[in-house]
């Protein structure tokens, strides 16, 4: 508004010139008044008036002689001539004075108009300069916007969300007859935004999350909604489920993270190398500062899995009887009494080394159908939980296993949730049934595959059974040393987490990538679904392979 102020000052200045001109005109007209005549002029004028009056008097009187009358006329003629000459000089002086006054006035007005024109010229020059600068800045912003839009169209992946891109900031342009896409009213004089295929009042272009106007140089898009970059990051940028921070981008500017295929956890790749603990049962990486039960063999058990964990041989016996009853329901009763022992990892590994037959799922073996005579250390009493969530007061006992049939014992790793322990028992029980029924020298993918089919079937029966949701499992009463927090899932309805845990164990069997346990299960499961369990087993007994 600087240039407008100057124009207004010029107009005021011009008005002052008109006022001064009027004063001069008044002064010029006053020069013709009687008060301004000189004394000589006044005497001459009085004389002329007196002579004129005398002449009027003579006109009314009788003339006595010619000669006096002639002298009088000559005197009057001379007086009239002097008066005319005096009036001529007065008018000449007045005309000269008026000419000089008009000349001075014209010169004064000329200087005033010259100053006014110079002032207006400077004002217009400053206005043109400001408009030029504004246009250059606007052109520069438009060029930047075009460049950023070209960069957005490049094939490089987005930084925050694979389905979204970052748009350049919508720059301001002069308004016209346009309708705001936000409030559907006409955009009047002022600035507006042009983006997302429409035009907006600056206050109407708002973030979809915080509903505040977007005034940043850039904004982000998700679907049809604009976001502040910070709001978009908070809404869409994944946070690590372990450290709770935003997952950082890699050297290429992409968000790289690890995700559990079942639990859908997202975590920084660095946590796979920084010794972040992982539950030995559910395989989840728990958030930082989460409490774990540290088992004496180095395994870590999350507190949710600990809630239904089976910790000693005596506690596992009711579950073992359930598995035997399940097999009886399938017309596959095991007649021999096979010992079942809950053991530590070290005892299980030693038993594997002494076993000549069998196929074992590495790197973690959780169960074993033992065929050889061995001495195995079993857990007699549920251990207590000491300071720092560590196992203490574990009572073990060596057990001499005598071979009375093809199977000497079934061993299961201790400290696993009930559903996982039951699926391991169902798997190892199938090994025992095959050996006791004369299924010898089967290929690993056939024997391990059909055993996984039985473990899968038992888990499904537990998850889908109506009684599983209403009645507590009959594992065993909780030990007084365990405390109520370790036995809640065994008294009353199964917890939602335990149901989810059962689904996870089913998912583990179905998604196993090993040839014996994974491919073998999928081939055997298709055969059972197509021909039934009894026909499939009969085909295996006759041919040693699954029916196609």
């Amino acid at each position: 508004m600087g240039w407008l102020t100057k124009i207004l000052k010029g107009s005021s200045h011009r008005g002052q010139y008109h006022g001064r001109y009027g004063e001069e005109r008044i002064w010029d007209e006053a020069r013709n008044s009687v008060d301004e005549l000189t004394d000589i002029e006044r005497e001459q004028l009085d004389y002329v008036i007196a002579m004129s009056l005398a002449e009027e008097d003579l006109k009314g009187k009788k003339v006595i002689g010619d000669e006096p009358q002639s002298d009088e006329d000559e005197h009057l003629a001379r007086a009239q001539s002097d008066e005319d000459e005096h009036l001529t000089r007065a008018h000449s002086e007045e005309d000269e004075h008026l000419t000089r006054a008009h000349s001075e006035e014209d010169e004064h007005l000329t200087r005033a108009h010259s100053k006014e024109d110079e002032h207006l010229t400077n004002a217009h020059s400053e206005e043109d300069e400001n408009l030029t600068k504004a246009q250059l800045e606007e052109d520069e912003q438009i060029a930047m916007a075009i460049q950023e839009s070209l960069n957005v169209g490049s094939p490089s992946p987005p930084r925050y969300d694979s389905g979204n891109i970052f748009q350049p900031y919508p720059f301001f342009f002069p308004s016209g007859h346009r309708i705001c896409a936000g409030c559907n009213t006409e955009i009047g004089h002022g600035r507006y935004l042009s983006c997302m295929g429409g035009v907006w009042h600056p206050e109407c272009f708002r973030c979809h999350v915080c509903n505040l106007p977007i005034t940043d140089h850039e904004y982000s898009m998700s679907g049809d909604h604009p976001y502040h970059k910070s709001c978009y990051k908070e809404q869409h940028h994944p946070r690590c489920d372990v450290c709770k921070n935003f997952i950082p981008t890699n050297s290429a500017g992409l968000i790289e993270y690890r995700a559990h295929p079942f639990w859908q956890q997202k975590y920084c790749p660095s946590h796979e190398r920084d010794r972040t603990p992982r539950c030995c049962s559910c395989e989840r990486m728990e958030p930082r500062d989460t409490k774990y039960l540290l088992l004496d063999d180095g395994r870590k058990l999350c507190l949710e899995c600990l809630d239904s964990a089976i910790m000693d041989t005596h506690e596992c016996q009711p579950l073992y009887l359930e598995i035997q009853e399940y097999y009886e329901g399938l017309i596959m009763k095991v007649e021999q009494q096979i010992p079942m022992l809950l053991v530590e990892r070290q005892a299980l590994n030693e038993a594997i080394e002494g076993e000549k037959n069998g196929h074992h799922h590495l790197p973690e073996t959780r169960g074993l159908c033992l065929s050889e005579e061995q001495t195995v250390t079993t857990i007699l009493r549920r251990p207590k939980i000491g300071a720092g969530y560590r196992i203490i007061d574990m009572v073990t006992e060596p057990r001499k296993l005598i071979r009375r049939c093809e199977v000497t014992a079934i061993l299961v790793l201790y400290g696993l949730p009930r559903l996982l322990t039951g699926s391991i028992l169902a798997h190892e029980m199938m090994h025992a049934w095959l050996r006791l029924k004369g299924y010898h020298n089967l290929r690993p993918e056939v024997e391990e595959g059909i055993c996984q089919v039985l473990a899968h079937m038992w888990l499904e029966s537990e998850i889908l059974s109506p009684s599983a949701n209403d009645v507590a499992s009959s594992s065993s009463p909780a030990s007084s040393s365990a405390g109520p927090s370790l036995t809640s899932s065994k008294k009353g309805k199964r917890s939602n987490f335990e149901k989810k845990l059962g689904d996870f164990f089913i998912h583990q069997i179905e998604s196993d990538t090993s040839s014996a346990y994974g491919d073998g299960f999928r081939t055997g499961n298709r055969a059972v679904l197509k021909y039934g369990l009894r026909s499939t087993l009969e085909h295996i007994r006759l041919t040693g392979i699954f029916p196609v």
Side-chain angles (χ1 to χ4, degrees):
M1 293 294 292
W3 60 269
L4 182 58
T5 303
K6 293 180 181 179
I7 289 178
L8 291 175
K9 287 182 178 179
S11 300
S12 176
H13 187 59
R14 183 176 181 178
Q16 293 173 357
Y17 283 129
H18 283 293
R20 292 186 63 183
Y21 177 74
E23 291 171 1
E24 290 176 357
R25 287 290 297 171
I26 292 172
W27 184 84
D28 289 336
E29 291 172 359
R31 282 286 286 122
N32 295 328
S33 65
V34 177
D35 294 337
E36 298 296 329
L37 296 177
T38 64
D39 294 336
I40 297 175
E41 290 173 342
R42 191 179 291 109
E43 290 178 1
Q44 291 177 349
L45 184 58
D46 293 338
Y47 177 77
V48 170
I49 292 172
M51 291 299 295
S52 177
L53 292 174
E55 183 180 355
E56 290 294 329
D57 292 336
L58 290 175
K59 287 181 180 179
K61 296 178 179 180
K62 183 177 179 179
V63 177
I64 298 177
D66 296 331
E67 193 171 300
Q69 184 177 359
S70 176
D71 292 336
E72 184 179 352
D73 292 337
E74 182 179 356
H75 179 73
L76 289 174
R78 284 197 302 271
Q80 184 66 39
S81 177
D82 292 339
E83 180 182 357
D84 293 339
E85 181 180 357
H86 179 74
L87 289 175
T88 299
R89 286 197 304 271
H91 283 294
S92 177
E93 290 177 358
E94 180 181 358
D95 292 339
E96 182 180 356
H97 180 75
L98 290 175
T99 300
R100 286 198 303 270
H102 283 296
S103 177
E104 290 178 359
E105 179 180 356
D106 292 339
E107 183 180 357
H108 183 71
L109 289 175
T110 300
R111 287 198 303 271
H113 284 296
S114 177
K115 289 182 180 180
E116 181 179 356
D117 292 340
E118 181 180 358
H119 185 72
L120 290 175
T121 301
N122 292 335
H124 285 296
S125 176
E126 291 179 3
E127 178 184 1
D128 294 340
E129 184 178 355
N130 292 334
L131 290 176
T132 301
K133 289 182 180 179
Q135 186 64 40
L136 289 175
E137 292 177 358
E138 182 177 340
D139 293 342
E140 182 179 356
Q141 290 178 341
I142 294 174
M144 291 172 61
I146 294 174
Q147 183 62 39
E148 291 183 12
S149 65
L150 293 176
N151 293 336
V152 168
S154 64
S156 61
R159 295 296 187 265
Y160 294 99
D161 186 11
S162 58
N164 306 314
I165 60 174
F166 298 124
Q167 302 290 342
Y169 180 77
F171 292 100
F172 294 106
F173 299 99
S175 64
H177 183 72
R178 298 175 175 86
I179 302 300
C180 175
C183 63
N184 294 322
T185 60
E186 183 177 352
I187 299 177
H189 296 288
R191 293 185 169 186
Y192 70 96
L193 304 177
S194 177
C195 55
M196 294 176 61
V199 290
W200 310 69
H201 292 109
E203 64 273 11
C204 292
F205 190 65
R206 295 175 175 265
C207 175
H208 186 61
V209 174
C210 66
N211 199 36
L212 294 177
I214 299 176
T215 58
D216 302 333
H217 188 67
E218 292 180 336
Y219 69 99
S220 302
M221 289 289 297
S222 178
D224 296 330
H225 302 298
Y227 295 80
H228 290 109
K229 291 186 70 176
S230 57
C231 292
Y232 177 86
K233 184 175 182 179
E234 187 69 31
Q235 190 83 1
H236 296 282
H237 191 126
R239 285 184 180 271
C240 176
D241 291 325
V242 175
C243 63
K244 302 303 181 182
N245 297 322
F246 288 117
I247 297 177
T249 56
N250 58 17
S251 58
L254 304 177
I255 301 172
E256 180 183 357
Y257 59 86
R258 301 290 184 266
H260 195 283
F262 180 81
W263 300 107
Q264 300 302 314
Q265 277 187 315
K266 297 180 179 66
Y267 54 90
C268 305
S270 59
H271 297 317
E272 294 184 342
R273 304 183 296 271
D274 61 7
R275 297 182 179 180
T276 297
R278 188 190 296 270
C279 178
C280 64
S281 170
C282 64
E283 298 185 354
R284 293 178 302 169
M285 278 189 176
E286 297 289 340
R288 291 279 176 85
D289 301 326
T290 299
K291 301 296 183 181
Y292 282 84
L293 176 64
L294 182 61
L295 303 177
D296 63 340
D297 54 15
R299 289 179 294 146
K300 298 177 178 65
L301 192 68
C302 73
L303 300 186
E304 289 177 300
C305 288
L306 173 63
D307 192 47
S308 64
I310 299 178
M311 305 298 288
D312 62 46
T313 300
H314 176 72
E315 187 180 357
C316 192
Q317 289 301 324
L319 179 60
Y320 184 39
L321 293 177
E322 286 184 23
I323 302 299
Q324 291 176 346
E325 292 175 0
Y326 179 75
Y327 270 78
E328 288 183 20
L330 297 174
I331 321 298
M332 297 172 60
K333 183 177 180 180
V334 177
E335 302 294 342
Q336 292 81 355
Q337 293 296 319
I338 303 173
M340 188 280 304
L341 304 176
L342 223 61
V343 298
E344 299 175 85
R345 176 189 281 176
Q346 182 62 30
L348 187 62
N349 291 337
E350 291 174 357
I352 292 173
E353 292 177 1
E355 186 69 14
K356 296 179 181 178
N357 300 320
H359 314 284
H360 312 295
H361 195 347
L362 299 178
E364 179 69 28
T365 299
R366 295 169 172 171
L368 178 63
C369 182
L370 197 62
S371 299
E372 305 295 330
E373 290 188 353
Q374 295 190 39
T375 300
V376 177
T377 301
T378 184
I379 301 173
L380 288 181
R381 189 176 67 190
R382 185 185 185 101
K384 296 179 181 179
I385 300 176
Y389 281 85
R390 292 177 177 271
I391 290 291
I392 61 174
D393 296 338
M394 178 178 286
V395 178
T396 61
E397 178 186 63
R399 176 80 63 88
K400 176 67 176 178
L401 299 175
I402 308 276
R403 182 184 174 92
R404 293 187 175 90
C405 60
E406 292 292 326
V407 181
T408 56
I410 292 176
L411 307 181
V412 179
L413 190 63
Y414 91 103
L416 300 177
R418 176 185 178 276
L419 289 177
L420 181 54
T421 303
S423 67
I424 295 171
L425 279 172
H427 179 102
E428 300 303 331
M429 181 71 79
M430 190 60 191
H431 277 299
W433 188 90
L434 290 172
R435 295 178 191 179
L436 294 172
K437 297 299 181 180
Y439 288 75
H440 298 294
N441 302 319
L442 294 178
R443 296 167 56 187
E445 57 269 24
V446 176
E447 183 169 348
E448 299 296 344
I450 194 64
C451 290
Q452 285 291 76
V453 169
L454 266 295
H456 187 272
M457 290 171 59
W458 181 82
L459 280 170
E460 284 190 326
S461 71
E462 285 289 299
I463 298 302
L464 300 177
S465 172
S467 61
N469 298 326
D470 299 327
V471 182
S473 68
S474 58
S475 299
S476 86
S479 171
S480 59
S481 63
S485 63
L486 303 182
T487 61
S488 60
S489 69
K490 301 171 191 174
K491 295 180 181 295
K493 292 183 179 181
R494 180 172 290 146
S495 67
N496 290 331
F497 174 76
E498 193 173 0
K499 298 174 188 176
K500 187 72 172 177
L501 195 59
D503 291 335
F504 169 63
F505 297 142
I506 291 174
H507 166 79
Q508 274 190 312
I509 294 174
E510 294 174 346
S511 61
D512 197 306
T513 58
S514 65
S515 59
Y517 290 81
D519 295 339
F521 162 74
R522 286 180 282 274
T523 304
N525 196 50
R526 285 194 297 268
V528 171
L529 292 175
K530 185 175 181 180
Y531 302 106
L533 180 59
R534 298 300 302 177
S535 297
T536 300
L537 290 173
E538 184 64 20
H539 190 278
I540 293 174
R541 188 181 68 81
L542 296 174
T543 64
I545 60 174
F546 291 114
V548 179

